[in-house]
Amino acid sequence: MAESNFIDYVKVFCRSGKGGAGSTHLHREKFVPKGGPDGGDGGRGGHIYIKGNRNYWTLLHLKYARHIFAGDGESGGKNRSFGADGDDKTIEVPLGTVAYDADTHEFLCEITEHDQRLVLLKGGRGGQGNWHFRTATLQTPRFAQPGEPGIERSVVLELKILADVGLVGFPNAGKSTLLSVVSAAKPKIADYPFTTLEPNIGIVGYRDSKSFVMADIPGIIEGASEGKGLGLRFLRHIERNSALLFMVPSTSENVEADYEILLAELVKYNPELADKNRVLAVTKCDLTDDEQQRNIALTLPKNIPSVFISSVSGKGIDTLKDLLWDAINN
C-alpha cells in the first residue's frame, strides 16, 4: 500500500515513572544530639495520560513516537521534606481513538470528546520516610519504604472515524465521486477498483446552514469480514457512523443481491451495525435509462429508504441529502 499521511493504527511502548524512595534521615542539630527521625516521603512517579484533541484527524504525529516514558519521582529529604513528583506525559489523540493492551488485547479506554483526559498508566507511589515508622519502642527507625516501580505496557492506539454518515459499497461504486460532489473533499477518483486506499472525510452542506460529516471508506468485497481485500482494515471506521449509506451502481446485475452482500459483511464483522439507520443509493444512473431504473426499483428492499442518483448529472442528490438528514436525526 502506498505511503499515506492517514495513520489510524500505531503501537507505542509506554512506561510510567517509578516512585521516589522515602528518606531515612535522622534529625541533627547543634544542641539536639539525639534528634528523632525526620525523613520525608518520596514523590510519586509520573502518570501517562491520553487526551482527546479535536484538531487531530489521524495518528500521524505518533508514527515515530514509539517510546513514551514518564519521569521518576524524587526521593524524600530531611526535615520531612517530600520528593518532587515525576513529570507526567500526555498522549494527545484524535476523537474516536481506542486504546488496547498490545499483548492481551484488553480494552483500556476510548476517547470521544475534546479535552477528555484519562489515565493510561499510573505512576508508582512514593515510599514513606522513616518519620512514619517511629513508635514508643522504636524511636529512631533507620529504614524507610522504597518507591513503587512504574508500569510498562505496549499499547495499541486505533482510530475509528467519528462521522455522521459512512459510505458503504463495493470498489468503484462511485463513493469518492459522490463525496467530491457534495463536499469540498478532493478524494482520488479513477475508473478502476480500490482507487480509495484510505478513508476520506467531507462536510456536506444542508439547508439553513446545517451540515453533517460524511466518510468515504475504501471499498468492501465479499469476504471482507474474514480479512479479504482492504475491508477488514477499515471496517472499524463504520462502527462510529450515525447512519450508513449503501451505494450500488445501477449497472449491477442484481442491485438487491449486492446490497445484501454488503449488509451481511458488516453484520459478520459487528452484529451491532445491523441496528444503524441505513439508506440505499443506486448510483451511476446516467448510464441507465428510465425503463431500466423502473425495473430496478421493483427489486429494491422495502425496509430502507432508497433513491436513484447520479453524481455526474446531479440527479437525486438533494433527495439523498434529505434522506440522510432524516436518518442521522431519527
Side-chain angles (χ1 to χ4, degrees):
M1 185 177 295
E3 188 70 18
S4 167
N5 286 335
F6 183 84
I7 304 297
D8 58 355
Y9 178 100
V10 295
K11 181 179 178 181
V12 293
F13 179 75
C14 300
R15 184 173 67 205
S16 61
K18 63 182 180 181
S23 172
T24 59
H25 190 269
L26 299 176
H27 182 71
R28 290 293 179 263
E29 198 172 342
K30 185 174 182 180
F31 299 107
V32 186
K34 294 183 179 180
D38 68 348
D41 299 346
R44 71 157 175 84
H47 299 321
I48 294 183
Y49 293 96
I50 184 170
K51 179 182 177 182
N53 187 335
R54 62 179 169 224
N55 297 316
Y56 285 121
W57 289 92
T58 81
L59 298 171
L60 177 65
H61 61 292
L62 298 174
K63 183 177 180 181
Y64 300 108
R66 296 304 175 90
H67 297 86
I68 299 176
F69 300 154
D72 296 333
E74 294 184 2
S75 299
K78 61 182 179 179
N79 296 326
R80 294 174 57 190
S81 60
F82 290 3
D85 293 340
D87 292 333
D88 297 328
K89 289 291 185 180
T90 299
I91 305 173
E92 294 196 346
V93 296
L95 309 188
T97 300
V98 183
Y100 298 95
D101 187 294
D103 299 319
T104 65
H105 305 290
E106 173 192 0
F107 170 82
L108 300 178
C109 63
E110 64 178 330
I111 299 295
T112 57
E113 299 177 1
H114 180 63
D115 283 339
Q116 179 185 3
R117 191 172 80 151
L118 301 173
V119 177
L120 193 61
L121 295 180
K122 285 187 176 182
R125 291 182 298 180
Q128 291 183 326
N130 62 352
W131 183 82
H132 292 277
F133 301 102
R134 72 200 189 287
T135 65
T137 57
L138 182 62
Q139 297 183 1
T140 56
R142 298 177 183 274
F143 57 87
Q145 280 184 333
E148 288 185 346
I151 300 173
E152 294 184 351
R153 174 179 282 168
S154 292
V155 177
V156 168
L157 300 175
E158 286 186 352
L159 172 62
K160 298 181 180 181
I161 289 178
L162 291 170
D164 297 307
V165 178
L167 304 184
V168 181
F170 290 116
N172 211 27
K175 302 185 295 299
S176 298
T177 304
L178 174 65
L179 184 66
S180 69
V181 169
V182 299
S183 74
K186 302 298 181 185
K188 182 180 179 181
I189 300 172
D191 190 21
Y192 55 82
F194 292 113
T195 306
T196 300
L197 297 177
E198 61 188 44
N200 293 292
I201 298 176
I203 299 177
V204 181
Y206 191 58
R207 298 184 178 131
D208 301 326
S209 300
K210 299 174 182 176
S211 63
F212 55 89
V213 179
M214 179 179 286
D216 172 22
I217 311 298
I220 297 172
I221 65 173
E222 189 170 6
S225 60
E226 301 169 0
K228 295 182 180 179
L230 300 175
L232 186 61
R233 179 178 175 184
F234 296 111
L235 276 174
R236 66 174 178 272
H237 293 300
I238 298 175
E239 293 180 320
R240 295 293 179 84
N241 302 149
S242 301
L244 302 178
L245 174 59
F246 287 79
M247 301 180 64
V248 181
S250 61
T251 53
S252 169
E253 294 182 2
N254 191 326
V255 173
E256 183 182 20
D258 285 351
Y259 164 74
E260 294 295 342
I261 291 173
L262 291 169
L263 180 60
E265 290 300 326
L266 296 189
V267 173
K268 286 179 185 176
Y269 175 74
N270 184 348
E272 294 181 1
L273 293 176
D275 298 329
K276 289 187 179 291
N277 290 331
R278 305 189 295 271
V279 175
L280 173 61
V282 182
T283 65
K284 302 184 179 182
C285 289
D286 52 294
L287 302 179
T288 55
D289 56 32
D290 292 341
E291 182 178 356
Q292 290 174 308
Q293 294 173 26
R294 284 194 294 270
N295 293 333
I296 293 174
L298 297 175
T299 66
L300 297 181
K302 307 301 181 183
N303 59 337
I304 66 169
S306 58
V307 60
F308 287 81
I309 67 169
S310 170
S311 299
V312 175
S313 66
K315 174 182 177 179
I317 297 298
D318 290 337
T319 303
L320 175 62
K321 289 183 179 181
D322 291 335
L323 293 176
L324 292 176
W325 185 261
D326 290 341
I328 294 169
N329 295 280
N330 184 5

